[in-house]
Amino acid sequence: MSARDHHPASGVPALVSRAAAVSVLTLALVGGGGLIPGSTEGATAAAAPVSVTASTTTTTTAMTAVSAVSSGSGHRALRIAASKKGSPYRWGATGPRSFDCSGLTQYAFKRAGKRLPRTADSQYRHVRHISASARKRGDLVFFHAGGTVYHVGIYAGKGRIWHAPKPGASVRKERIWTRSVWYGRA
């Protein structure tokens, strides 16, 4: 949905009720399934300031509010994981000085205010699954062989993740090396 779609010249009435503007814009921008009844995300989005007229400003304000809502804890977790660059991999470690893959994601999200289970497979079962086309910075990337999840990292954008890769390596940003990945949003 573009700003042009809400301009009076496009045939859309100039006045739209506040509730309708928020509902239509939220549904269009989030895809309908992103808001969960009772979640704080929905409350924040509904409280976003939206003017009564249908204009470029209204669309921009609503898009900004929805973007901020959908990226919060994931972006914070991404920054926390990046701050651990160079920390050594150690199997079973959950920080703050060393990590295994799921220990890093659990640590980063916990510090960002979201709790995740301990293992990569449990984390995959715990999060909302999303498509590759819906992935955003701060989402979780799960590496799998068949139906078994064996590794996890945090999506950094442009096909890269922050992760604790393997023994002898350290936390780093790296290109996703396979197509056998699933995505999740905490």
Side-chain angles (χ1 to χ4, degrees):
M1 187 175 290
S2 70
R4 182 175 54 86
D5 294 332
H6 289 287
H7 192 274
S10 70
V12 176
L15 295 178
V16 178
S17 75
R18 178 182 175 144
V22 171
S23 298
V24 169
L25 289 172
T26 301
L27 185 59
L29 293 172
V30 178
L35 298 178
I36 300 168
S39 74
T40 57
E41 292 179 3
T44 304
V50 177
S51 67
V52 178
T53 61
S55 67
T56 303
T57 304
T58 302
T59 304
T60 304
T61 303
M63 285 181 177
T64 303
V66 172
S67 294
V69 165
S70 64
S71 62
S73 62
H75 278 173
R76 286 190 301 275
L78 178 61
R79 285 193 305 274
I80 292 163
S83 77
K84 294 303 179 177
K85 178 181 180 179
S87 297
Y89 177 98
R90 186 170 55 90
W91 185 83
T94 58
R97 290 176 188 74
S98 59
F99 301 91
D100 68 7
C101 67
S102 57
L104 177 65
T105 56
Q106 183 186 46
Y107 176 87
F109 275 90
K110 182 178 181 180
R111 297 277 311 260
K114 292 270 189 173
R115 294 209 181 266
L116 289 176
R118 175 61 190 95
T119 66
D121 188 62
S122 294
Q123 289 176 8
Y124 179 70
R125 285 186 271 120
H126 180 78
V127 300
R128 182 168 54 104
H129 303 162
I130 59 172
S131 67
S133 62
R135 70 187 180 185
K136 294 181 181 184
R137 294 179 46 166
D139 286 336
L140 291 163
V141 182
F142 297 94
F143 295 77
H144 65 92
T148 305
V149 172
Y150 66 87
H151 188 65
V152 63
I154 302 176
Y155 190 64
K158 299 183 180 178
R160 297 181 174 273
I161 60 167
W162 278 100
H163 68 139
K166 60 186 176 184
S170 58
V171 172
R172 65 185 181 215
K173 184 162 69 167
E174 188 168 23
R175 182 161 294 286
I176 297 171
W177 59 89
T178 179
R179 290 182 183 205
S180 295
V181 294
W182 294 321
Y183 297 91
R185 187 162 295 149

